[in-house]
Amino acid sequence: MNRAVYPGSFDPITNGHIDVIERVAGMVEHVTVAILINAKKQGLFSLEERKELILDAVKHLDNVEVVCFSGLLADYCRDNHIDVIVRGLRAVSDYEYEIQMAQMNRKLYPKAETIFLMTNPIYAYLSSSLVKEVAGFSGCVSDLIPELAYKKLIEKLHDERDDF
């Protein structure tokens, strides 16, 4: 395996995401963290902000790049000669959705292999949505996301409260 892609929305990136990226970076020559542009979803962070947060969190890894993309992941992989798609699984409930996506990607781009990595058990409950929800009620999430992401999350939530 030379090149892998780890797609997601990363709104914001969590320590669980970082764990997967670090593990994949140790397996392949090059990892692309691909931020999906989804016009149907309005993220808390802009694509540029998410990219900045991820770049800061992976700066210690010299074989990782961060890009934004829209459209089908299978097309992105084909166009960029990437044959390995990495997905993290937190629980059995993730598997049903992820297997459907993996099979569709394989249909659209037969060279694509999806590798599922089980999350580190300390992150099994962790999601970006949960982090935002807890932080929105002033719950402590500082140990769940990278330092810069935490700082920017608190700033953004503070700014939203000021808008009311």
Side-chain angles (χ1 to χ4, degrees), residues 138-153:
S138 301
C140 181
V141 296
S142 63
D143 59 335
L144 303 177
I145 59 178
E147 185 177 341
L148 181 61
Y150 176 72
K151 179 182 175 221
K152 297 289 185 177
L153 176 62

Side-chain angles (χ1 to χ4, degrees), residues 19-79:
D19 177 63
V20 170
I21 295 166
E22 289 173 341
R23 290 163 54 201
V24 173
M27 294 182 214
V28 299
E29 291 178 16
H30 185 83
V31 179
T32 300
V33 177
I35 306 166
L36 175 63
I37 301 168
N38 186 343
K40 295 178 189 174
K41 284 176 100 175
Q42 177 62 33
L44 180 63
F45 291 96
S46 70
L47 292 170
E48 295 77 23
E49 289 170 322
R50 286 185 247 171
K51 186 173 181 178
E52 173 193 359
L53 297 178
I54 297 168
L55 285 169
D56 182 72
V58 301
K59 63 186 172 198
H60 64 289
L61 301 169
D62 59 4
N63 63 335
V64 176
E65 73 171 328
V66 182
V67 301
C68 299
F69 83 100
S70 62
L72 295 172
L73 178 61
D75 291 341
Y76 180 83
C77 290
R78 181 184 301 106
D79 294 346

Side-chain angles (χ1 to χ4, degrees), residues 14-20 22-23 89-90 119-127 143-145:
T14 70
N15 290 345
H17 294 130
I18 302 297
D19 177 63
V20 170
E22 289 173 341
R23 290 163 54 201
L89 294 176
R90 292 172 294 193
T119 189
N120 183 320
I122 65 174
Y123 303 122
Y125 65 94
L126 185 55
S127 71
D143 59 335
L144 303 177
I145 59 178

Side-chain angles (χ1 to χ4, degrees), residues 103-149:
Q103 290 171 338
M104 181 57 78
N105 284 326
R106 186 73 184 259
K107 179 194 178 306
L108 296 172
Y109 181 49
K111 288 186 177 183
E113 286 287 352
T114 299
I115 294 176
F116 298 110
L117 290 180
M118 296 306 301
T119 189
N120 183 320
I122 65 174
Y123 303 122
Y125 65 94
L126 185 55
S127 71
S128 297
S129 298
L130 189 57
V131 165
K132 290 183 288 193
E133 184 176 348
V134 171
F137 288 102
S138 301
C140 181
V141 296
S142 63
D143 59 335
L144 303 177
I145 59 178
E147 185 177 341
L148 181 61

